[in-house]
Amino acid sequence: MDKSNKELFWDATIEEVKKGYVENDDSYKCIICEEIFTKGRIYEIESCLYDAKKTTEMHIKDKHSSVIEYLLGMNSSFTGISDVQRELLMLMAEGLCDKEMASKLGVAQSTVRNHRYKLREKEKQARLFLAIMDLISKDTKKK
Ligand SMILES: [Zn+2]
């Protein structure tokens, strides 16, 4: 990621980050590599025709595998996710159950459950923190 890319990425809303792109009046823009797909233009991919939105979604899949994979691949100083948590989240993303994850990681099922609990706590904290920051920023804008 270069500097300008980071700005687009870090200014994106949670929904935009989840989708992997931002929508402007006339285009869609990948927040990972900044490639632009113009609204109203038809794109040809492997002799099939797609609109800009579908092309953007296909671009994310083709070039960046998936948004979740990209996010999990980011440095832990950005995500706050430890290596063990990352491993577990990747397996969760694949849709594995606790038992399957435990055997893949070579740990007890109770360890997986414990990690899941900690991840949920982290999620709650992140949600509250976002709410707090959101309230503060709205408050500051009023003044
Ligand atoms: Zn891209």
Side-chain angles (χ1 to χ4, degrees):
M1 275 204 260
D2 61 25
K3 202 164 176 274
S4 63
N5 197 340
K6 272 183 187 159
E7 255 164 56
L8 181 69
F9 185 87
W10 293 114
D11 286 344
T13 65
I14 293 177
E15 284 310 312
E16 289 167 341
V17 171
K18 278 158 66 181
K19 285 188 292 187
Y21 60 86
V22 293
E23 181 177 355
N24 301 310
D25 286 344
D26 55 355
S27 64
Y28 297 94
K29 197 171 188 182
C30 172
I31 59 167
I32 298 169
C33 72
E34 294 210 337
E35 191 161 340
I36 293 167
F37 302 92
T38 310
K39 283 183 186 174
R41 200 188 131 181
I42 299 299
Y43 292 82
E44 187 179 338
I45 301 164
E46 286 166 11
S47 61
C48 288
L49 302 175
Y50 300 99
D51 67 8
K53 190 178 182 187
K54 184 72 188 162
T55 307
T56 309
E57 289 165 357
M58 289 171 71
H59 161 86
I60 305 276
K61 209 165 179 241
D62 286 353
K63 295 284 186 310
H64 313 297
S65 297
S66 72
V67 175
I68 191 158
E69 213 166 293
Y70 178 78
L71 295 177
L72 285 172
M74 287 176 73
N75 193 294
S76 64
S77 64
F78 293 132
T79 61
I81 298 169
S82 72
D83 289 345
V84 183
Q85 288 171 333
R86 182 199 322 273
E87 239 182 317
L88 199 81
L89 288 165
M90 278 178 172
L91 296 176
M92 281 165 76
E94 287 173 28
L96 299 192
C97 71
D98 282 9
K99 197 179 173 187
E100 291 168 320
M101 287 194 277
S103 84
K104 271 222 174 185
L105 298 171
V107 298
Q109 242 175 284
S110 59
T111 309
V112 171
R113 275 199 299 273
N114 194 25
H115 278 304
R116 262 188 195 283
Y117 175 78
K118 279 184 191 155
L119 286 169
R120 266 199 303 273
E121 291 303 297
K122 202 177 168 69
E123 184 185 8
K124 284 184 202 163
Q125 288 174 342
R127 213 184 283 271
L128 289 181
F129 184 67
L130 276 179
I132 292 163
M133 293 304 282
D134 204 35
L135 288 170
I136 290 171
S137 87
K138 278 191 186 108
D139 243 26
T140 324
K141 270 177 208 152
K142 270 182 222 155
K143 285 164 199 165

